[in-house]
Amino acid sequence: MANLEQTLVLVKPDGVSRGLVGEIITRFERIGLKITAMKMILPKHGDVDRHYELTEEWMQGVYEKAKKKYADLGQKFPYSDHKSYGESIKTGLVEFLKSGPIVAIVLEGEQSVALVRKLVGATEPMSAPPGTIRGDFSLDSYALSNAQNRPLRNLIHASGTVEEAKKEVAIWFTDAELHHYEHVLGSALYNSSFFLPKK
Ligand code: ADP
């Protein structure tokens, strides 16, 4: 049985202004994901604020990921408090997302949450492997973004878990904006008898 999930992608203002929307969507379409909703919007403060919830877990994650990268490079991480670090990232992130239009997309397919994260790559483009969206189209780093006191310009957001995806889809789309239609690839990917000899 297929385990179809929905996941939310936002092409951030850097991805839109660099003209990478088509490149990014192509990668999701060609792997077999179905687009069930899509729109370009200038985000409202409240929506971005709800999207990036300032939880203890998020602040800790943002802090630890950056700290690890500095340690891997043999450098001292110049911040000691995950709360103030996380809060300043969040403030910058909200302003960044509101700085220009973004493209919000809902994608559906087999284990789409993890699959899309794989295609997107690591948070820091400089560490994201070639072949991933962030690895192929950006060279931004913690070092550069922290020196410039701004969030990483990593082109795209993708939901981290199925639960997060549900919350995020509901922030950006109404039920009426989620489309139901037959995707031709669905048969080749999910129909168990599709490649059996026809009787
Ligand atoms: P991801 O987008 O990979 O799920 P997070 O949820 O940890 O990453 O962070 C959300 C966004 O905040 C990132 O995509 C990035 O734009 C920005 N960000 C996270 N950590 C940092 C950091 N240490 N320095 C600058 N920007 C950051």
Side-chain angles (χ1 to χ4, degrees):
M1 276 298 277
N3 177 18
L4 298 185
E5 296 169 355
Q6 288 198 332
T7 191
L8 180 94
V9 160
L10 301 177
V11 183
K12 295 178 179 176
D14 53 335
V16 173
S17 69
R18 286 185 49 192
L20 292 173
V21 175
E23 282 281 359
I24 290 170
I25 293 173
T26 295
R27 288 173 179 234
F28 299 132
E29 283 194 304
R30 75 181 183 190
I31 205 166
L33 289 166
K34 174 179 172 181
I35 298 171
T36 58
M38 181 159 69
K39 62 182 170 186
M40 180 181 255
I41 34 179
L42 191 59
K44 294 195 203 80
H45 183 92
D47 289 341
V48 185
D49 191 50
R50 277 197 294 147
H51 177 90
Y52 286 113
E53 217 177 317
L54 195 57
T55 61
E56 175 67 24
E57 191 189 356
W58 187 81
M59 291 188 285
Q60 194 74 48
V62 159
Y63 180 82
E64 291 301 334
K65 272 194 276 183
K67 191 173 170 188
K68 180 174 184 310
K69 178 60 197 284
Y70 276 68
D72 290 348
L73 294 172
Q75 294 167 2
K76 190 177 167 346
F77 190 50
Y79 306 90
S80 57
D81 175 20
H82 72 278
K83 279 210 167 96
S84 59
Y85 187 71
E87 278 166 14
S88 83
I89 300 283
K90 154 103 189 210
T91 305
L93 203 47
V94 172
E95 291 311 310
F96 174 45
L97 266 282
K98 283 165 50 195
S99 70
I102 64 169
V103 174
I105 308 165
V106 179
L107 297 165
E108 188 178 284
E110 172 74 9
Q111 299 179 60
S112 65
V113 173
L115 178 66
V116 167
R117 292 282 281 201
K118 181 182 79 169
L119 298 179
V120 167
T123 303
E124 184 197 40
M126 188 62 92
S127 312
T132 63
I133 292 168
R134 287 168 171 168
D136 281 353
F137 297 112
S138 176
L139 48 64
D140 205 16
S141 64
Y142 285 119
L144 184 57
S145 66
N146 284 197
Q148 295 184 342
N149 198 21
R150 58 159 175 81
L152 284 162
R153 293 175 182 160
N154 58 10
L155 306 167
I156 184 167
H157 163 83
S159 309
T161 63
V162 173
E163 200 176 278
E164 210 174 273
K166 287 197 176 113
K167 183 201 109 179
E168 293 175 355
V169 168
I171 291 174
W172 299 102
F173 292 97
T174 63
D175 281 350
E177 290 173 320
L178 299 171
H179 295 281
H180 305 277
Y181 64 97
E182 189 172 347
H183 195 227
V184 174
L185 274 181
S187 301
L189 294 174
Y190 307 124
N191 179 339
S192 60
S193 55
F194 191 71
F195 291 104
L196 294 178
K198 302 283 177 283
K199 298 224 167 79

PDB file of all heavy atoms in Angstrom, residues 11 23 26 34 52-53 68-69 78 90 99 109 139 163 176 181 196:
ATOM      1  N   VAL A  11       8.923  28.494  -1.719  1.00  0.00           N
ATOM      2  CA  VAL A  11      10.100  29.051  -2.391  1.00  0.00           C
ATOM      3  C   VAL A  11      10.255  30.446  -1.798  1.00  0.00           C
ATOM      4  O   VAL A  11       9.372  31.292  -1.912  1.00  0.00           O
ATOM      5  CB  VAL A  11       9.937  29.115  -3.927  1.00  0.00           C
ATOM      6  CG1 VAL A  11      11.221  29.640  -4.553  1.00  0.00           C
ATOM      7  CG2 VAL A  11       9.574  27.747  -4.497  1.00  0.00           C
ATOM      8  N   GLU A  23      12.924  25.825 -11.947  1.00  0.00           N
ATOM      9  CA  GLU A  23      13.936  24.795 -11.655  1.00  0.00           C
ATOM     10  C   GLU A  23      13.502  23.949 -10.449  1.00  0.00           C
ATOM     11  O   GLU A  23      13.649  22.732 -10.423  1.00  0.00           O
ATOM     12  CB  GLU A  23      15.265  25.453 -11.275  1.00  0.00           C
ATOM     13  CG  GLU A  23      16.077  25.971 -12.417  1.00  0.00           C
ATOM     14  CD  GLU A  23      16.846  24.860 -13.125  1.00  0.00           C
ATOM     15  OE1 GLU A  23      16.748  23.691 -12.707  1.00  0.00           O
ATOM     16  OE2 GLU A  23      17.516  25.184 -14.113  1.00  0.00           O
ATOM     17  N   THR A  26      10.358  21.824 -11.136  1.00  0.00           N
ATOM     18  CA  THR A  26      10.707  20.715 -12.042  1.00  0.00           C
ATOM     19  C   THR A  26      11.244  19.515 -11.267  1.00  0.00           C
ATOM     20  O   THR A  26      10.919  18.366 -11.570  1.00  0.00           O
ATOM     21  CB  THR A  26      11.760  21.195 -13.065  1.00  0.00           C
ATOM     22  OG1 THR A  26      11.149  22.189 -13.865  1.00  0.00           O
ATOM     23  CG2 THR A  26      12.248  20.060 -13.948  1.00  0.00           C
ATOM     24  N   LYS A  34       2.941  15.004  -6.977  1.00  0.00           N
ATOM     25  CA  LYS A  34       1.767  15.661  -7.553  1.00  0.00           C
ATOM     26  C   LYS A  34       1.575  17.017  -6.877  1.00  0.00           C
ATOM     27  O   LYS A  34       1.575  17.095  -5.640  1.00  0.00           O
ATOM     28  CB  LYS A  34       0.567  14.748  -7.302  1.00  0.00           C
ATOM     29  CG  LYS A  34      -0.777  15.296  -7.682  1.00  0.00           C
ATOM     30  CD  LYS A  34      -1.828  14.212  -7.361  1.00  0.00           C
ATOM     31  CE  LYS A  34      -3.227  14.708  -7.524  1.00  0.00           C
ATOM     32  NZ  LYS A  34      -4.211  13.656  -7.190  1.00  0.00           N
ATOM     33  N   TYR A  52       6.932  29.835  11.492  1.00  0.00           N
ATOM     34  CA  TYR A  52       8.179  29.575  12.227  1.00  0.00           C
ATOM     35  C   TYR A  52       7.910  29.773  13.721  1.00  0.00           C
ATOM     36  O   TYR A  52       8.196  30.829  14.287  1.00  0.00           O
ATOM     37  CB  TYR A  52       9.302  30.501  11.756  1.00  0.00           C
ATOM     38  CG  TYR A  52       9.866  30.126  10.408  1.00  0.00           C
ATOM     39  CD1 TYR A  52       9.693  30.961   9.308  1.00  0.00           C
ATOM     40  CD2 TYR A  52      10.568  28.942  10.223  1.00  0.00           C
ATOM     41  CE1 TYR A  52      10.216  30.615   8.059  1.00  0.00           C
ATOM     42  CE2 TYR A  52      11.084  28.590   8.989  1.00  0.00           C
ATOM     43  CZ  TYR A  52      10.913  29.426   7.908  1.00  0.00           C
ATOM     44  OH  TYR A  52      11.420  29.092   6.688  1.00  0.00           O
ATOM     45  N   GLU A  53       7.349  28.764  14.344  1.00  0.00           N
ATOM     46  CA  GLU A  53       6.993  28.844  15.762  1.00  0.00           C
ATOM     47  C   GLU A  53       8.252  28.837  16.622  1.00  0.00           C
ATOM     48  O   GLU A  53       9.113  27.956  16.443  1.00  0.00           O
ATOM     49  CB  GLU A  53       6.131  27.632  16.111  1.00  0.00           C
ATOM     50  CG  GLU A  53       5.047  27.931  17.095  1.00  0.00           C
ATOM     51  CD  GLU A  53       4.202  26.692  17.326  1.00  0.00           C
ATOM     52  OE1 GLU A  53       3.877  26.004  16.331  1.00  0.00           O
ATOM     53  OE2 GLU A  53       3.907  26.408  18.483  1.00  0.00           O
ATOM     54  N   LYS A  68      27.576  22.991  15.481  1.00  0.00           N
ATOM     55  CA  LYS A  68      28.256  21.787  14.972  1.00  0.00           C
ATOM     56  C   LYS A  68      29.087  22.135  13.744  1.00  0.00           C
ATOM     57  O   LYS A  68      30.210  21.658  13.567  1.00  0.00           O
ATOM     58  CB  LYS A  68      27.226  20.706  14.647  1.00  0.00           C
ATOM     59  CG  LYS A  68      27.859  19.446  14.121  1.00  0.00           C
ATOM     60  CD  LYS A  68      26.891  18.311  13.914  1.00  0.00           C
ATOM     61  CE  LYS A  68      27.600  17.044  13.476  1.00  0.00           C
ATOM     62  NZ  LYS A  68      28.535  17.191  12.362  1.00  0.00           N
ATOM     63  N   LYS A  69      28.535  22.970  12.880  1.00  0.00           N
ATOM     64  CA  LYS A  69      29.277  23.339  11.671  1.00  0.00           C
ATOM     65  C   LYS A  69      30.567  24.069  12.024  1.00  0.00           C
ATOM     66  O   LYS A  69      31.625  23.796  11.465  1.00  0.00           O
ATOM     67  CB  LYS A  69      28.396  24.207  10.764  1.00  0.00           C
ATOM     68  CG  LYS A  69      29.077  24.680   9.496  1.00  0.00           C
ATOM     69  CD  LYS A  69      29.543  23.527   8.611  1.00  0.00           C
ATOM     70  CE  LYS A  69      30.565  23.899   7.566  1.00  0.00           C
ATOM     71  NZ  LYS A  69      30.090  24.599   6.421  1.00  0.00           N
ATOM     72  N   PRO A  78      30.695  31.673  18.151  1.00  0.00           N
ATOM     73  CA  PRO A  78      30.742  32.905  18.950  1.00  0.00           C
ATOM     74  C   PRO A  78      29.458  33.228  19.715  1.00  0.00           C
ATOM     75  O   PRO A  78      29.304  34.344  20.195  1.00  0.00           O
ATOM     76  CB  PRO A  78      31.029  33.986  17.896  1.00  0.00           C
ATOM     77  CG  PRO A  78      30.525  33.431  16.619  1.00  0.00           C
ATOM     78  CD  PRO A  78      30.570  31.938  16.709  1.00  0.00           C
ATOM     79  N   LYS A  90      14.950  34.011  14.235  1.00  0.00           N
ATOM     80  CA  LYS A  90      13.517  34.061  13.925  1.00  0.00           C
ATOM     81  C   LYS A  90      13.106  35.469  13.476  1.00  0.00           C
ATOM     82  O   LYS A  90      12.373  35.637  12.505  1.00  0.00           O
ATOM     83  CB  LYS A  90      12.713  33.626  15.158  1.00  0.00           C
ATOM     84  CG  LYS A  90      11.327  34.174  15.242  1.00  0.00           C
ATOM     85  CD  LYS A  90      10.244  33.213  14.884  1.00  0.00           C
ATOM     86  CE  LYS A  90       8.910  33.931  14.787  1.00  0.00           C
ATOM     87  NZ  LYS A  90       7.762  33.172  15.099  1.00  0.00           N
ATOM     88  N   SER A  99       9.967  40.075   2.754  1.00  0.00           N
ATOM     89  CA  SER A  99      10.655  41.066   1.925  1.00  0.00           C
ATOM     90  C   SER A  99      10.258  41.026   0.454  1.00  0.00           C
ATOM     91  O   SER A  99      10.572  41.921  -0.305  1.00  0.00           O
ATOM     92  CB  SER A  99      12.174  40.884   2.053  1.00  0.00           C
ATOM     93  OG  SER A  99      12.562  39.673   1.411  1.00  0.00           O
ATOM     94  N   GLY A 109       2.561  12.672  -2.387  1.00  0.00           N
ATOM     95  CA  GLY A 109       3.185  11.467  -2.926  1.00  0.00           C
ATOM     96  C   GLY A 109       3.669  10.560  -1.817  1.00  0.00           C
ATOM     97  O   GLY A 109       3.574  10.895  -0.625  1.00  0.00           O
ATOM     98  N   LEU A 139      25.406  29.050  -2.464  1.00  0.00           N
ATOM     99  CA  LEU A 139      26.696  28.831  -1.788  1.00  0.00           C
ATOM    100  C   LEU A 139      26.698  29.488  -0.423  1.00  0.00           C
ATOM    101  O   LEU A 139      27.745  29.660   0.192  1.00  0.00           O
ATOM    102  CB  LEU A 139      27.852  29.372  -2.658  1.00  0.00           C
ATOM    103  CG  LEU A 139      27.712  30.785  -3.245  1.00  0.00           C
ATOM    104  CD1 LEU A 139      27.652  31.865  -2.212  1.00  0.00           C
ATOM    105  CD2 LEU A 139      28.853  31.041  -4.228  1.00  0.00           C
ATOM    106  N   GLU A 163       3.290  15.867  10.824  1.00  0.00           N
ATOM    107  CA  GLU A 163       2.496  16.735  11.709  1.00  0.00           C
ATOM    108  C   GLU A 163       2.718  18.216  11.379  1.00  0.00           C
ATOM    109  O   GLU A 163       1.771  19.007  11.273  1.00  0.00           O
ATOM    110  CB  GLU A 163       2.935  16.464  13.145  1.00  0.00           C
ATOM    111  CG  GLU A 163       1.943  16.879  14.199  1.00  0.00           C
ATOM    112  CD  GLU A 163       2.468  16.471  15.563  1.00  0.00           C
ATOM    113  OE1 GLU A 163       2.290  15.300  15.936  1.00  0.00           O
ATOM    114  OE2 GLU A 163       3.087  17.316  16.216  1.00  0.00           O
ATOM    115  N   ALA A 176     -10.464  24.755   0.163  1.00  0.00           N
ATOM    116  CA  ALA A 176     -10.927  24.953  -1.225  1.00  0.00           C
ATOM    117  C   ALA A 176      -9.757  25.130  -2.194  1.00  0.00           C
ATOM    118  O   ALA A 176      -9.910  24.927  -3.404  1.00  0.00           O
ATOM    119  CB  ALA A 176     -11.847  26.164  -1.285  1.00  0.00           C
ATOM    120  N   TYR A 181      -7.358  15.816  -8.267  1.00  0.00           N
ATOM    121  CA  TYR A 181      -7.452  15.464  -9.680  1.00  0.00           C
ATOM    122  C   TYR A 181      -6.604  14.219  -9.924  1.00  0.00           C
ATOM    123  O   TYR A 181      -5.777  13.851  -9.079  1.00  0.00           O
ATOM    124  CB  TYR A 181      -6.975  16.630 -10.570  1.00  0.00           C
ATOM    125  CG  TYR A 181      -5.505  17.000 -10.400  1.00  0.00           C
ATOM    126  CD1 TYR A 181      -4.521  16.508 -11.266  1.00  0.00           C
ATOM    127  CD2 TYR A 181      -5.083  17.839  -9.364  1.00  0.00           C
ATOM    128  CE1 TYR A 181      -3.177  16.845 -11.108  1.00  0.00           C
ATOM    129  CE2 TYR A 181      -3.740  18.179  -9.198  1.00  0.00           C
ATOM    130  CZ  TYR A 181      -2.796  17.685 -10.080  1.00  0.00           C
ATOM    131  OH  TYR A 181      -1.472  18.002  -9.919  1.00  0.00           O
ATOM    132  N   LEU A 196       1.931  -5.536 -15.002  1.00  0.00           N
ATOM    133  CA  LEU A 196       1.674  -6.965 -15.228  1.00  0.00           C
ATOM    134  C   LEU A 196       1.120  -7.125 -16.642  1.00  0.00           C
ATOM    135  O   LEU A 196       0.503  -6.193 -17.179  1.00  0.00           O
ATOM    136  CB  LEU A 196       0.654  -7.490 -14.210  1.00  0.00           C
ATOM    137  CG  LEU A 196       1.131  -7.498 -12.758  1.00  0.00           C
ATOM    138  CD1 LEU A 196       0.002  -7.999 -11.833  1.00  0.00           C
ATOM    139  CD2 LEU A 196       2.380  -8.344 -12.598  1.00  0.00           C
TER     140      LEU A 196
END
